[in-house]
Amino acid sequence: MRSIWNGAISFGLVSIPIKLVNATENHSVSFRQIHTADGGRIRYRKVCELDGEELTADEIGKAYEADDGSMIPITDEDLAALPLPTAKTIDIVAFVPLDSIDPLQMGAAYYLVAGGPTAAKPYTLLREALKRSRRVAIAKFALRGRERLGMLRVVGDAIAMHGLLWPDEIRSYEGAAPETSVTVRDAELDLADTLMDTLGEVEMDSLHDDYREAVEELIAAKTSGEETPAQPAADAGAGKVIDLMSALEKSVRAAKSTRGEEGEEGEGAAGTGDGEDAEVRELRPGGRRKADAKGGGGGRGAHTKAGTEKPKSAQKKATSGRAAPKKAAAKRTTAKKTAAKKTTAKKSSAGGTSARSSSSKKTAAGSGASGTRGKKRASA
């Protein structure tokens, strides 16, 4: 890696020779400007506005524009002569916890490379001290004509430095937050938590630039004369104001479906059945009895769609619950009939006994009468 700055780290009385190299690289696809009529390249030329001459890099210097528009030349020698102790030194001024640094301040990242075998020992000492203390070092350094603020931290076996903006370079967040007062319900927060848990974590190495890949495919197709690949159309619904709860519920279902968790949509805070809207119809008086009389049970089932259909176990319970009163009524009717039959039988039995008793009495009476008449004849 090519170094962009050579100097030393000042760590108290310890000096560590280092080289500064870029820790990041830009993979964006770059384009050139062309003349659309003939494809000719468009180039920028540096021309002096006083004499109209085109200048080379060696003929161009720096200057500061004053308020009246006049130019004040500033040379590299002028800058080098400034009493700047960080001109060739990364001066560590403090050690602080990492979470005390506002991420808004972080800028370009660099690796600090030990400058030779003699720098290995102090370099390793600083690295291990940072690692054991779980803190980062705040330092000042000069790069490209200005003093900058930096943060040193351990990355693997190396020390990295992040360029930091000065505190007064961070703009206030006022004006960025919504001005309208909004109340967020607990149910919405629960759904948001469910969505975050469903999405889970991601391996950062698995993320890649889809747009850059699409541009590279487009360039490859045009270079080979093939048909350019069709890109998916943008979402027409983007930017529309929708119901927040509905959007959260759909997001949870989509995330679970993506992760192969179909069928679990009704669990947790996002309990929404199978995602279909249930159709509810008014139940008229007597409708259930008429439906039951027809044997179809339509009074209860006619208004139930696929999304709200009860499980078979629930249906069995409901059916058994409706059938129980009918069975009880049937038993009571049978008992009444049996009791009526017994009563009739008793009456019949009682009537027969009375008739037989009367008949016996009449027979006895007849026998008595004939006996009396016989006695009378005998005496005569």
Short mmCIF file of all heavy atoms in Angstrom, two decimals, residues 59-66 69-76 78-79:
data_model
loop_
_atom_site.label_atom_id
_atom_site.label_comp_id
_atom_site.label_asym_id
_atom_site.label_seq_id
_atom_site.Cartn_x
_atom_site.Cartn_y
_atom_site.Cartn_z
N GLU A 59 2.62 25.54 -13.06
CA GLU A 59 2.41 26.99 -13.12
C GLU A 59 1.27 27.47 -12.22
O GLU A 59 0.95 28.65 -12.22
CB GLU A 59 2.11 27.41 -14.56
CG GLU A 59 3.20 27.08 -15.56
CD GLU A 59 2.80 27.39 -16.98
OE1 GLU A 59 1.86 26.73 -17.49
OE2 GLU A 59 3.41 28.32 -17.58
N ILE A 60 0.68 26.53 -11.48
CA ILE A 60 -0.50 26.88 -10.67
C ILE A 60 -0.11 26.85 -9.19
O ILE A 60 0.51 25.89 -8.72
CB ILE A 60 -1.65 25.89 -10.95
CG1 ILE A 60 -2.06 25.96 -12.43
CG2 ILE A 60 -2.85 26.20 -10.06
CD1 ILE A 60 -3.10 24.94 -12.82
N GLY A 61 -0.46 27.90 -8.46
CA GLY A 61 -0.19 27.99 -7.03
C GLY A 61 -1.47 28.19 -6.24
O GLY A 61 -2.59 28.09 -6.78
N LYS A 62 -1.34 28.52 -4.96
CA LYS A 62 -2.48 28.72 -4.07
C LYS A 62 -2.57 30.19 -3.69
O LYS A 62 -1.55 30.90 -3.62
CB LYS A 62 -2.35 27.86 -2.81
CG LYS A 62 -2.49 26.37 -3.06
CD LYS A 62 -2.52 25.58 -1.76
CE LYS A 62 -1.15 25.56 -1.11
NZ LYS A 62 -0.21 24.66 -1.81
N ALA A 63 -3.80 30.63 -3.37
CA ALA A 63 -4.02 32.00 -2.91
C ALA A 63 -5.30 32.04 -2.09
O ALA A 63 -6.20 31.20 -2.26
CB ALA A 63 -4.10 32.96 -4.09
N TYR A 64 -5.37 33.04 -1.21
CA TYR A 64 -6.57 33.24 -0.41
C TYR A 64 -7.32 34.45 -0.97
O TYR A 64 -6.73 35.51 -1.19
CB TYR A 64 -6.20 33.48 1.06
CG TYR A 64 -7.40 33.81 1.93
CD1 TYR A 64 -8.23 32.80 2.39
CD2 TYR A 64 -7.69 35.14 2.28
CE1 TYR A 64 -9.32 33.10 3.19
CE2 TYR A 64 -8.77 35.44 3.08
CZ TYR A 64 -9.60 34.41 3.53
OH TYR A 64 -10.68 34.71 4.30
N GLU A 65 -8.61 34.28 -1.21
CA GLU A 65 -9.41 35.38 -1.76
C GLU A 65 -9.94 36.24 -0.62
O GLU A 65 -10.69 35.75 0.24
CB GLU A 65 -10.56 34.84 -2.60
CG GLU A 65 -11.36 35.95 -3.27
CD GLU A 65 -12.45 35.40 -4.20
OE1 GLU A 65 -12.60 34.16 -4.27
OE2 GLU A 65 -13.15 36.21 -4.84
N ALA A 66 -9.56 37.47 -0.60
CA ALA A 66 -9.99 38.41 0.43
C ALA A 66 -11.43 38.84 0.17
O ALA A 66 -12.03 38.55 -0.87
CB ALA A 66 -9.07 39.62 0.47
N GLY A 69 -12.17 40.61 -2.99
CA GLY A 69 -11.93 39.89 -4.24
C GLY A 69 -10.47 39.78 -4.64
O GLY A 69 -10.16 39.08 -5.61
N SER A 70 -9.60 40.47 -3.92
CA SER A 70 -8.18 40.38 -4.25
C SER A 70 -7.62 39.04 -3.80
O SER A 70 -8.13 38.40 -2.87
CB SER A 70 -7.42 41.53 -3.57
OG SER A 70 -7.54 41.44 -2.17
N MET A 71 -6.54 38.59 -4.48
CA MET A 71 -5.92 37.30 -4.21
C MET A 71 -4.63 37.49 -3.41
O MET A 71 -3.76 38.27 -3.81
CB MET A 71 -5.64 36.58 -5.52
CG MET A 71 -6.89 36.21 -6.30
SD MET A 71 -7.90 35.03 -5.39
CE MET A 71 -9.36 34.95 -6.45
N ILE A 72 -4.50 36.76 -2.30
CA ILE A 72 -3.29 36.81 -1.47
C ILE A 72 -2.55 35.49 -1.65
O ILE A 72 -3.01 34.45 -1.16
CB ILE A 72 -3.66 37.03 0.02
CG1 ILE A 72 -4.49 38.30 0.18
CG2 ILE A 72 -2.41 37.07 0.90
CD1 ILE A 72 -5.03 38.51 1.58
N PRO A 73 -1.41 35.49 -2.35
CA PRO A 73 -0.67 34.25 -2.62
C PRO A 73 -0.16 33.61 -1.33
O PRO A 73 0.36 34.29 -0.43
CB PRO A 73 0.47 34.68 -3.53
CG PRO A 73 0.04 36.00 -4.10
CD PRO A 73 -0.78 36.65 -3.02
N ILE A 74 -0.29 32.27 -1.22
CA ILE A 74 0.22 31.50 -0.10
C ILE A 74 1.04 30.35 -0.69
O ILE A 74 0.50 29.52 -1.43
CB ILE A 74 -0.90 30.93 0.79
CG1 ILE A 74 -1.79 32.06 1.32
CG2 ILE A 74 -0.34 30.09 1.93
CD1 ILE A 74 -1.10 32.98 2.30
N THR A 75 2.31 30.29 -0.33
CA THR A 75 3.18 29.25 -0.89
C THR A 75 3.33 28.08 0.09
O THR A 75 2.97 28.18 1.28
CB THR A 75 4.57 29.83 -1.19
OG1 THR A 75 5.19 30.22 0.05
CG2 THR A 75 4.47 31.05 -2.10
N ASP A 76 3.86 26.96 -0.42
CA ASP A 76 4.12 25.80 0.43
C ASP A 76 5.15 26.13 1.50
O ASP A 76 5.09 25.61 2.63
CB ASP A 76 4.60 24.62 -0.41
CG ASP A 76 3.50 24.09 -1.33
OD1 ASP A 76 2.31 24.32 -1.02
OD2 ASP A 76 3.83 23.44 -2.34
N ASP A 78 5.50 29.03 2.94
CA ASP A 78 4.81 29.79 3.99
C ASP A 78 4.12 28.85 4.98
O ASP A 78 4.17 29.04 6.21
CB ASP A 78 3.77 30.73 3.38
CG ASP A 78 4.40 31.83 2.55
OD1 ASP A 78 5.57 32.18 2.83
OD2 ASP A 78 3.73 32.33 1.62
N LEU A 79 3.48 27.82 4.45
CA LEU A 79 2.77 26.87 5.31
C LEU A 79 3.74 26.03 6.13
O LEU A 79 3.48 25.73 7.30
CB LEU A 79 1.87 25.96 4.46
CG LEU A 79 0.72 26.66 3.73
CD1 LEU A 79 -0.01 25.68 2.84
CD2 LEU A 79 -0.24 27.31 4.72
#
